[in-house]
Amino acid sequence: MTTVRREAFGRMPPEEGGGEVEKFVLQSDSVRVEILSFGCIITTLETKDRDGQFSDIVLGFDTLEGYTRKHPFFGAVIGRVANRIANGRFTLDGKEYQLFLNNGPNSLHGGAKGFDKVLWNPQVLPNGVRFFRLSPDGEEGYPGDLKVWVTYTLSGRELAINYQAQTSKTTPISLTNHAYFNLAGQGSQDVYDHEISIEADSYLPVDDTKIPTGEVAAVQGTGFDLRQPVELGKHLQKFHLDGFDHNFCLHQGQDRHLVARVFHPPTGRTMEVHTTQPGIQFYTGNNLDGSLKGKGAVTYPKHSAFCLETQNWPDAVNKPHFPKVLLQPGEEYNHTTWLVFNTA
């Protein structure tokens, strides 16, 4: 049985058009999640440890102000295109589109004002909440009026996030959620004691601006082989890695499949990621630097969280051999990711 509650969370600054921001609290007997109508942001996600104690396992802020200022996309829905597009450029039907460059020479996570920085229209469901917005033709340089629905539903230990979209013109689209997790509880210093596995035989090597080179490389015999669980801290040391910020290539197909599992031995918390998406970006919070004050005034140092962002492959719009990222008029974009929380 899931209960859904809505409450006021704050108002947008006048220069952002004012506007009421609401918070939606979804609660089952084992999971409690709070989501904002601003950026569809997951602000809180509480799950039980093996002793039945709840802890909040996602990074974020206590107030709306934290989310309206610059931050590393904590908990937000990312669009139109998650991850990086090389030089912020792509060509469709002979026309070149130029996007805003906000990540060195590249465009990242939708541009200057992506889906994470706008108000969505909420609709309460019996076991969740659905958010809608129309991204107008030309927004952030992307073609087509894009109607987008993001639906969060909670059933027992499982949080489902469904993304649907329809467009008036051919446009690239790749939606994800950018929650930062620490199964020890947000505010814990690192995630080195987490054990992680990712069901991927290949990954995408990147250049020094984090754009995929185009090669689809086998994980076998490399530090990217996470098919069996590894303890993160020891694994990074063993392979002299500064952290992960890479796309892992998943089974192609529209069916639900298990793609990643994380286990935190001290608390017994586990998290499984299931998805219909073709890729998952594993990111270990390499750019966190302790400068942001999060919930409860804690700071978030490097490697104090991890992200498992289910999405299309980065820069797919410029790489024809990558999975299809273009949505045509008359088609529907429809992907779901399920997060399953348990204890071991």
Side-chain angles (χ1 to χ4, degrees), residues 68-143:
T68 56
R69 291 196 296 237
K70 185 172 165 56
H71 68 95
F73 306 96
F74 286 150
V77 161
I78 306 296
R80 278 189 195 189
V81 176
N83 220 308
R84 294 168 178 86
I85 293 178
N87 305 308
R89 275 204 300 273
F90 60 90
T91 302
L92 277 183
D93 304 325
K95 181 179 175 189
E96 184 172 275
Y97 293 86
Q98 178 65 55
L99 310 172
F100 185 76
L101 305 181
N102 60 340
N103 186 248
N106 306 315
S107 184
L108 174 72
H109 290 338
K113 190 175 179 181
F115 289 4
D116 58 298
K117 297 179 184 71
V118 292
L119 271 176
W120 293 65
N121 294 312
Q123 176 196 354
V124 171
L125 305 175
N127 63 338
V129 57
R130 175 178 293 132
F131 298 100
F132 169 78
R133 82 174 295 252
L134 172 68
S135 171
D137 186 12
E139 182 174 65
E140 284 299 322
Y142 289 98

Side-chain angles (χ1 to χ4, degrees), residues 32 65 83 196 228 235 238 281 331 337:
R32 182 173 177 278
E65 192 184 16
N83 220 308
I196 184 154
Q228 296 299 317
H235 186 81
K238 177 181 174 184
Q281 186 85 2
E331 294 179 339
T337 293

Side-chain angles (χ1 to χ4, degrees), residues 53-204:
Q53 296 296 310
F54 277 97
S55 279
D56 182 4
I57 60 166
V58 294
L59 276 52
F61 303 103
D62 290 320
T63 62
L64 178 59
E65 192 184 16
Y67 292 106
T68 56
R69 291 196 296 237
K70 185 172 165 56
H71 68 95
F73 306 96
F74 286 150
V77 161
I78 306 296
R80 278 189 195 189
V81 176
N83 220 308
R84 294 168 178 86
I85 293 178
N87 305 308
R89 275 204 300 273
F90 60 90
T91 302
L92 277 183
D93 304 325
K95 181 179 175 189
E96 184 172 275
Y97 293 86
Q98 178 65 55
L99 310 172
F100 185 76
L101 305 181
N102 60 340
N103 186 248
N106 306 315
S107 184
L108 174 72
H109 290 338
K113 190 175 179 181
F115 289 4
D116 58 298
K117 297 179 184 71
V118 292
L119 271 176
W120 293 65
N121 294 312
Q123 176 196 354
V124 171
L125 305 175
N127 63 338
V129 57
R130 175 178 293 132
F131 298 100
F132 169 78
R133 82 174 295 252
L134 172 68
S135 171
D137 186 12
E139 182 174 65
E140 284 299 322
Y142 289 98
D145 285 328
L146 187 74
K147 292 178 179 173
V148 191
W149 296 264
V150 177
T151 307
Y152 292 90
T153 48
L154 180 62
S155 310
R157 301 172 183 280
E158 182 174 277
L159 177 66
I161 312 173
N162 173 258
Y163 308 91
Q164 288 167 277
Q166 298 163 355
T167 186
S168 65
K169 295 179 184 170
T170 303
T171 188
I173 179 171
S174 173
L175 304 177
T176 193
N177 178 283
H178 209 309
Y180 285 68
F181 297 97
N182 187 321
L183 300 189
Q186 75 90 28
S188 301
Q189 284 300 290
D190 60 60
V191 288
Y192 297 145
D193 58 354
H194 289 51
E195 294 175 6
I196 184 154
S197 56
I198 297 178
E199 304 274 330
D201 296 328
S202 53
Y203 78 103
L204 300 181

